[in-house]
Amino acid sequence: MPIDTRLARRIATVKPSSTLAITSKAKKLRSEGKDIVSFAAGEPDFDTPEPIKQGAVDAIRKGFTKYTPTTGTPELKKIISEKFKRDNALEYGVQQIAVSCGAKHSIFNALFVLLDKGDEAVMASPYWVSYPEMVRLCEGTPRIIETSRKNDFKITPGELKKNIGPKTKLLMLNTPSNPAGSVYTRDELLALAEICVAHKILVISDEIYEKIIFDNLPHVSIASLNKDIYGLAVTVNGVSKSFSMTGWRIGYLGGPADIVEAIGKFQDHSTSNPASISQKAAEAALGMAGSFSATMREEFQKRRDFIVARLETIEKINCIVPKGAFYVFCDISKTGLGSVEFASRLLDEAGVAVIPGESFGKDEYIRISFATGMPQITKGLDRLKDFCDAL
């Protein structure tokens, strides 16, 4: 068999992750002794709280190191059910919940059981880098809506209507969003939900950043709005961002029982259960009071305010103020460079790592993460300003 034909066709359509590529290059330069400031991180820079660590230690010492039910332990599902009810006004029984190896895994599982070949998944641009690639891996077709900066890059009802076709199966929704930090209001979600219900379009709602919202804005889950959209929506979340547990790999979703049952079948034959020890850690996390997430959110808001104010002093960069998550999406079109060239030169010439906007569907933008300490933020912004001034 020739080397160029032995791989499945579906993998040839998938682009590598520039987020991981830039992060890897920055780490390599650091290992060589270079002074690198990284604005590339997609994870909180806070340590996992001690009660969560202790939950994992206790699990190990008690011998909780064997297989669990594929979609999670009954104990963890019960706590997740209570969390959905308390935080999101969502009534999901344990049979409507599936625990997986991260929110990304939950999204992929949902796409896999919902998309047939050629089915369209509608999503906003800018989008999280993995959305279109996961859709393609499931042999679906990403249908990209070019959103406007004047609307904080959120999908409007008119834009959604224009992009509904005979093969449209589902809407990918992300609030708060990565990379733009957009947060949908209740009224905006109601308008989108009305369209989805009218056209029987499913919704995968990625709410992984729900605890990182600024300016006292509320988080609203689209599935909580009414019984009609509840029956069409899959709500995805996890412990990675809210509890600084990215490496523990625990995500979860709630949704209609038939969809969750199908996800269980798929997970049976792919990953089986998420790590037993991580599940016990997640129990401890979701059982904690909200002080950790609140403290983290307050710190991120201080950083956001600082970084946005500093970016306003850089003549060739513009940004919208993010309402959530921990990223600033910056317009670099005045530099005359595409995002990949900009990011590459910034890293090589100034020792600052950012993520090219091309990966999010917006080549005239870069993503800057403020999931790093203030000294690094200050140093990185100084270098960024010098770099842009010299262009």
Side-chain angles (χ1 to χ4, degrees):
M1 180 183 296
I3 291 176
D4 61 350
T5 61
R6 68 185 179 188
L7 297 179
R9 285 192 299 271
R10 61 181 171 272
I11 199 64
T13 67
V14 176
K15 301 174 184 176
S17 170
S18 65
T19 305
L20 297 178
I22 288 287
T23 304
S24 177
K25 184 176 180 181
K27 288 180 179 178
K28 181 176 182 296
L29 290 171
R30 274 180 176 162
S31 71
E32 295 170 354
K34 303 281 193 340
D35 181 17
I36 302 297
V37 175
S38 180
F39 288 143
E43 59 183 352
D45 55 312
F46 298 83
D47 194 12
T48 303
E50 286 301 321
I52 300 173
K53 294 180 183 179
Q54 190 60 51
V57 171
D58 290 345
I60 293 170
R61 287 179 174 158
K62 292 176 181 176
F64 193 74
T65 56
K66 308 298 183 183
Y67 294 131
T68 74
T70 293
T71 56
T73 65
E75 294 82 7
L76 178 54
K77 286 185 177 185
K78 183 175 184 296
I79 291 173
I80 291 170
S81 175
E82 292 166 353
K83 182 266 176 220
F84 273 131
K85 184 175 182 178
R86 179 183 67 245
D87 294 351
N88 308 102
L90 285 169
E91 296 278 357
Y92 287 132
V94 293
Q95 78 280 4
Q96 293 177 270
I97 292 169
V99 185
S100 62
C101 305
K104 179 186 285 190
H105 186 208
S106 292
I107 294 167
F108 182 83
N109 286 352
L111 288 168
F112 189 89
V113 305
L114 293 176
L115 292 178
D116 280 320
K117 187 172 184 178
D119 283 345
E120 291 180 347
V122 176
M123 64 192 71
S125 171
Y127 42 72
W128 180 47
V129 295
S130 293
Y131 289 159
E133 309 310 325
M134 289 193 285
V135 169
R136 292 186 183 102
L137 280 168
C138 296
E139 299 190 307
T141 302
R143 190 177 181 97
I144 310 300
I145 297 178
E146 294 295 338
T147 57
S148 170
R149 175 178 169 176
K150 68 182 180 182
N151 193 46
D152 281 357
F153 297 115
K154 292 182 283 190
I155 297 172
T156 67
E159 289 167 343
L160 180 57
K161 286 180 181 178
K162 287 178 184 177
N163 283 274
I164 293 174
K167 294 292 288 181
T168 305
K169 183 72 176 286
L170 61 86
L171 167 66
M172 295 292 304
L173 188 66
N174 184 203
T175 181
S177 76
N178 173 10
S182 309
V183 174
Y184 285 80
T185 67
R186 175 176 292 274
D187 286 345
E188 289 167 340
L189 291 173
L190 274 167
L192 297 180
E194 183 179 346
I195 296 167
C196 290
V197 169
H199 293 271
K200 294 183 172 57
I201 293 171
L202 297 162
V203 180
I204 296 178
S205 183
D206 179 357
E207 303 179 12
I208 191 68
Y209 292 98
E210 71 160 343
K211 296 296 185 183
I212 308 174
I213 298 182
F214 309 126
D215 307 317
N216 296 314
L217 294 175
H219 171 72
V220 181
S221 295
I222 192 169
S224 71
L225 297 177
N226 56 59
K227 63 181 179 58
D228 294 324
I229 193 63
Y230 172 86
L232 293 170
V234 174
T235 307
V236 177
N237 213 315
V239 296
S240 292
K241 315 299 183 182
S242 299
F243 298 97
S244 199
M245 293 176 66
T246 51
W248 298 79
R249 306 315 302 135
I250 292 291
Y252 54 85
L253 59 78
D258 60 327
I259 295 176
V260 174
E261 181 182 4
I263 287 170
K265 289 179 183 177
F266 175 49
Q267 204 162 306
D268 280 346
H269 299 292
S270 54
T271 59
S272 296
N273 64 277
S276 59
I277 297 159
S278 293
Q279 289 188 66
K280 284 297 181 185
E283 284 184 38
L286 293 171
M288 287 176 60
S291 59
F292 173 77
S293 295
T295 300
M296 186 169 60
R297 181 183 66 247
E298 289 169 6
E299 175 60 24
F300 278 136
Q301 180 157 335
K302 290 176 185 175
R303 295 178 189 178
R304 180 208 62 172
D305 293 344
F306 176 80
I307 201 169
V308 167
R310 283 293 310 274
L311 287 169
E312 288 176 351
T313 69
I314 303 177
E315 186 178 345
K316 295 177 181 177
I317 287 184
N318 292 296
C319 69
I320 62 169
V321 179
K323 305 299 193 301
F326 39 73
Y327 312 106
V328 185
F329 205 47
C330 302
D331 184 341
I332 58 164
S333 56
K334 290 183 180 179
T335 68
L337 301 177
S339 63
V340 175
E341 182 181 0
F342 184 98
S344 180
R345 285 185 56 183
L346 182 64
L347 182 55
D348 291 337
E349 298 173 24
V352 177
V354 298
I355 303 300
E358 180 188 58
S359 301
F360 306 104
K362 298 284 187 186
D363 191 36
E364 68 276 23
Y365 284 78
I366 58 169
R367 190 192 76 178
I368 294 176
S369 168
F370 46 93
T372 189
M374 287 297 292
Q376 287 292 98
I377 290 173
T378 303
K379 182 195 291 187
L381 292 175
D382 289 343
R383 294 180 182 183
L384 176 62
K385 186 176 190 307
D386 291 344
F387 174 80
C388 290
D389 289 347
L391 288 174

